[in-house]
Amino acid sequence: MKHLIFLIPVWLFISCSTDIMNPVEIEGELKQWHKVTLLIQGPQTSEYAAENPFLEYRLNVTFSNGTDSYVVPGYFSADGQAAETSAREGNIWKVHFRPDSPGSWTYSLSFLKGRSIAVLDGDVPVEALAGDGREGSFEIEPSDKSGRDFRAKGRIINGGMGYFKLQGTGDIWVKNGADSPENFLAYTDFDQTYRFSLKTEVREGEANPEKEIHQYAAHVADWEEGDPSWQGGKGKGIIGAVNYLHDAGVNSVYMLTMNILGDGKDVWPYCDHNERYRFDCSKLDQWEIVLDHMERLGIMTHFVLQETENEVLLDNGYTDVQRRVYLRELAARFGHHLAVTWNLGEENGPHNWTPIGQTHQQKVDMANYLRDLIPYPANIVLHTHSDDEYQDRYLEPMLGSGTIDGPSMQIANPLRVHERILKWVQASEEAGERWVVSLDEIGPHWTGVMPDADDPDHDTVRQHCLWGSLMAGGAGVEWYFGYLYAHNDLGLEDFRSRERWWKQSTIATQFMQQFPLEEMSCRDELVDVPGAYCLAREGERYLVYLPKGAGPATLQMNGSSTWQVAWFNPRSGGELEQGNVKSIAGSGQQLLGVPPSDPVLDWVVVISSK
């Protein structure tokens, strides 16, 4: 009896000490749209532990405000500060949450251990870990941010009518991005980042394994006091590059998260090039520092999850253990960000030069698994091959299915951009699910957008690619730099090599963003000039892009209004200007007149009802 009395208080003491030894700490600003991080003291383990912390443990936290509920995946974080320490072991586990409304939020932990529990569905034998079932709460205040910071305006989502929208404000957001370098994350200051290749010959378009990875030395001077860095000043080159892109008006950056066997062979999230189940905690924490900075500056993260050369590297293309743990780790660490595009893969699907690739069903399964992992609205897209045949073959089965939010278009011939963007805008609309169609890569593949030094005016790309895409109903653009010229796709070190081009792209995307684009459609047939584009809400507003050398044009007007006519310079921007025709009365075929200057160059005409 005495022995039994002794056991009861010991059991109670152990239970109580478990709470003390395994606390939940909350980090971050407790404000709407801000990153709120739960730090949980869990099992002591390491990246290389016999019981894989990325596979044999599963931490999920359910957050609720009484109306909405989100199940957010967590991850092993080594010592919790691995970006600074390069730690591979520890007992810290993290969960990142983004509250989308002010007020009271509760949380409840599910912390389990079991064989492959992180990727298994249904009931499996598990062990509940200390902290499982723990509950808590916190209060969220309104955001205090402003400007381009996404925390001021909310998450970027598919608005359902062909354009991205900001969830907090409802404003349309038009993408203006950098597609190059695709190996943006192959950066010298990230832990365990290098180029790995056993090939003795390097084909055109591949990175040379004997050359250094990115340093972005030209942008170190763009780093500013107060900006983030790590380990005594590392990271200034890539943070400075992000600063420059922000100042240039760029709001999206395309980046591969895994290019093993691909063109660059220098980006992977794993703790070793040959590993497929274990991840590099310090490297991924350093990625997060850069992504946090991008978010503060209003720059979307465009994750490209695989390349055409490695799309069957994981599970032979299926969504099995390797692919699931890969997607879960990325979703847990980065899925909280307010502006993310998840791209299923570059040039995805078999092709005549890569005959082995993911099947349609494998793409669907991958997209569905990813969408289930991410508790928030997720933008999931598919990067295409450059030719019509393969675009049609792989995109048509996706129409109206809800699998993807749109195609990430690669188009080899600049002269066909308008036509091909318009095809998928209209086809998706007819299928009952308007896609967000983006132009993310242009050809020819050896040039893309050339440096300003080689093509200072960028006339062809401006007319056919930039304005051709936007006037077809495209949701945005990203720019690829080919492999032939300086600061190319894999070797770019200085984004200023295209400074004149960033200005033109920013002029166009910011100009378009001021119009009710969801209510407008492409109506090129209303203009009588070959090569002209027209985006219209008939009876209210018309935008007409007139190409270089177009001459006087007429527009078929509908409605009996009196119309105001103004001109916009797509080369240099600025305010709307007056041409020789200031207003038009009535409907029918109407002459738009001539621009205020440079009549042989391209112009945009804005026709609005008074």
Side-chain angles (χ1 to χ4, degrees):
M1 186 67 179
K2 289 181 180 179
H3 183 65
L4 195 58
I5 293 172
F6 174 75
L7 281 178
I8 292 173
V10 169
W11 179 87
L12 290 172
F13 174 76
I14 292 172
S15 175
C16 181
S17 68
T18 298
D19 287 342
I20 294 173
M21 296 297 293
N22 294 277
V24 175
E25 298 181 23
I26 300 177
E27 287 187 345
E29 296 180 274
L30 299 182
K31 294 182 171 64
Q32 182 183 15
W33 304 120
H34 291 228
K35 179 168 70 172
V36 177
T37 300
L38 269 57
L39 284 77
I40 297 103
Q41 291 189 22
Q44 177 76 24
T45 184
S46 74
E47 292 172 2
Y48 285 105
E51 293 177 315
N52 185 342
F54 309 101
L55 196 57
E56 315 298 346
Y57 298 83
R58 185 178 71 197
L59 171 62
N60 288 336
V61 178
T62 301
F63 296 88
S64 177
N65 66 353
T67 302
D68 298 314
S69 184
Y70 301 96
V71 179
V72 182
Y75 63 94
F76 171 60
S77 185
D79 66 353
Q81 48 187 347
E84 289 293 334
T85 64
S86 295
R88 291 189 164 190
E89 60 184 32
N91 71 332
I92 302 300
W93 303 70
K94 290 184 180 181
V95 177
H96 300 306
F97 174 58
R98 294 287 181 147
D100 52 16
S101 63
S104 298
W105 286 85
T106 63
Y107 64 85
S108 175
L109 273 65
S110 170
F111 203 179
L112 305 175
K113 178 182 176 182
R115 187 170 180 82
S116 299
I117 183 65
V119 298
L120 293 182
D121 302 319
D123 295 328
V124 294
V126 296
E127 171 191 343
L129 299 173
D132 180 66
R134 179 166 303 172
E135 298 179 342
S137 63
F138 49 84
E139 293 291 322
I140 294 297
E141 299 178 355
S143 176
D144 60 350
K145 304 305 176 186
S146 60
R148 283 174 58 178
D149 190 327
F150 288 123
R151 295 172 297 174
K153 301 175 182 178
R155 187 175 303 279
I156 288 185
I157 61 172
N158 176 353
M161 298 179 69
Y163 292 93
F164 291 114
K165 298 188 83 167
L166 291 155
Q167 197 173 14
T169 64
D171 295 336
I172 287 175
W173 183 89
V174 178
K175 184 170 70 172
N176 176 36
D179 177 273
S180 291
E182 65 178 36
N183 62 343
F184 177 74
L185 295 173
Y187 174 56
T188 188
D189 285 353
F190 290 141
D191 283 358
Q192 201 241 127
T193 301
Y194 54 90
R195 188 162 292 140
F196 183 95
S197 177
L198 298 178
K199 295 176 67 173
T200 57
E201 295 183 6
V202 179
R203 67 173 175 83
E204 288 183 317
E206 285 187 333
N208 188 334
E210 296 182 0
K211 292 187 177 181
E212 293 182 331
I213 57 176
H214 297 299
Q215 298 183 38
Y216 304 122
H219 291 292
V220 170
D222 295 313
W223 185 90
E224 298 178 357
E225 196 66 36
D227 285 343
S229 63
W230 57 89
Q231 297 186 2
K234 289 184 176 181
K236 291 184 177 180
I238 197 168
I239 293 295
V242 170
N243 287 346
Y244 169 76
L245 290 172
H246 163 266
D247 292 344
V250 172
N251 63 14
S252 178
V253 173
Y254 177 110
M255 60 189 78
L256 284 159
T257 53
M258 194 266 288
N259 66 4
I260 296 169
L261 300 180
D263 292 335
K265 304 175 182 65
D266 45 21
V267 178
W268 54 84
Y270 304 112
C271 55
D272 186 82
H273 171 273
N274 299 315
E275 178 57 62
R276 300 293 179 267
Y277 301 95
R278 298 169 184 270
F279 298 85
D280 190 322
C281 293
S282 63
K283 178 196 289 191
L284 297 183
D285 277 2
Q286 290 158 3
W287 287 9
E288 174 71 354
I289 292 172
V290 176
L291 302 186
D292 275 340
H293 190 62
M294 288 170 54
E295 182 173 82
R296 288 191 288 270
L297 297 183
I299 299 177
M300 172 184 273
T301 297
H302 183 172
F303 279 144
V304 185
L305 300 173
Q306 55 194 355
E307 277 189 272
T308 189
E309 294 90 350
N310 66 21
E311 64 190 67
V312 295
L313 176 68
L314 305 180
D315 306 316
N316 200 30
Y318 292 96
T319 302
D320 209 285
V321 176
Q322 291 179 344
R323 191 174 301 274
R324 286 186 176 205
V325 74
Y326 170 64
L327 295 177
R328 180 180 173 88
E329 189 69 15
L330 293 180
R333 287 177 168 274
F334 310 124
H336 66 91
H337 281 289
L338 298 174
V340 183
T341 290
W342 299 88
N343 197 321
L344 298 181
E346 181 211 47
E347 296 176 342
N348 191 265
H351 198 276
N352 55 14
W353 65 78
T354 51
I356 300 175
Q358 283 186 300
T359 67
H360 171 72
Q361 190 57 50
Q362 287 175 334
K363 299 171 197 177
V364 170
D365 292 344
M366 180 179 175
N368 288 342
Y369 187 76
L370 183 58
R371 205 177 289 279
D372 287 342
L373 270 177
I374 300 170
Y376 316 105
N379 303 305
I380 298 178
V381 304
L382 181 69
H383 188 269
T384 71
H385 288 281
S386 62
D387 48 346
D388 299 2
E389 175 190 353
Y390 288 96
Q391 288 176 6
D392 295 352
R393 182 183 302 179
Y394 299 138
L395 289 181
E396 285 178 357
M398 297 282 188
L399 288 167
S401 68
T403 302
I404 61 174
D405 293 276
S408 172
M409 298 295 297
Q410 178 184 177
I411 301 173
N413 184 350
L415 304 184
R416 300 195 63 220
V417 164
H418 184 73
E419 166 196 348
R420 295 302 292 174
I421 296 293
L422 183 58
K423 173 186 170 65
W424 297 109
V425 167
Q426 294 178 338
S428 62
E429 201 160 46
E430 291 168 3
E433 184 184 77
R434 171 76 180 268
W435 274 345
V436 178
V437 183
S438 298
L439 174 65
D440 288 337
E441 184 171 342
I442 63 165
H445 58 274
W446 58 90
T447 61
V449 177
M450 291 185 283
D452 294 341
D454 299 284
D455 184 16
D457 295 326
H458 302 287
D459 290 339
T460 296
V461 181
R462 182 182 65 255
Q463 175 179 328
H464 295 287
C465 302
L466 174 58
W467 286 94
S469 174
L470 297 175
M471 296 292 286
V477 290
E478 286 182 344
W479 301 110
Y480 163 78
F481 298 158
Y483 67 76
L484 188 62
Y485 290 86
H487 298 289
N488 56 37
D489 179 39
L490 295 174
L492 181 136
E493 290 297 296
D494 188 355
F495 285 99
R496 283 188 176 83
S497 59
R498 273 81 172 178
E499 183 153 0
R500 290 172 62 91
W501 177 246
W502 299 128
K503 290 179 181 178
Q504 293 191 39
S505 187
T506 298
I507 285 167
T509 51
Q510 291 185 355
F511 173 79
M512 296 297 291
Q513 203 157 273
Q514 65 184 302
F515 296 101
L517 298 175
E518 292 180 331
E519 302 168 7
M520 303 175 76
S521 59
C522 183
R523 298 298 308 277
D524 296 343
E525 70 277 8
L526 299 179
V527 190
D528 68 345
V529 171
Y533 312 132
C534 178
L535 199 63
R537 182 177 181 183
E538 291 197 71
E540 293 187 18
R541 180 178 283 107
Y542 300 83
L543 299 181
V544 176
Y545 178 90
L546 298 176
K548 184 177 179 179
T554 61
L555 174 70
Q556 178 64 42
M557 312 285 290
N558 292 325
S560 57
S561 301
T562 299
W563 306 88
Q564 293 177 329
V565 181
W567 295 75
F568 179 75
N569 187 329
R571 290 155 278 110
S572 59
E575 299 296 324
L576 292 177
E577 302 179 57
Q578 295 293 325
N580 69 324
V581 174
K582 297 179 176 57
S583 65
I584 296 172
S587 59
Q589 203 78 12
Q590 300 283 357
L591 187 65
L592 299 179
V594 296
S597 61
D598 300 318
V600 298
L601 300 180
D602 54 329
W603 285 87
V604 179
V605 195
V606 182
I607 305 100
S608 305
S609 61
K610 287 188 176 181

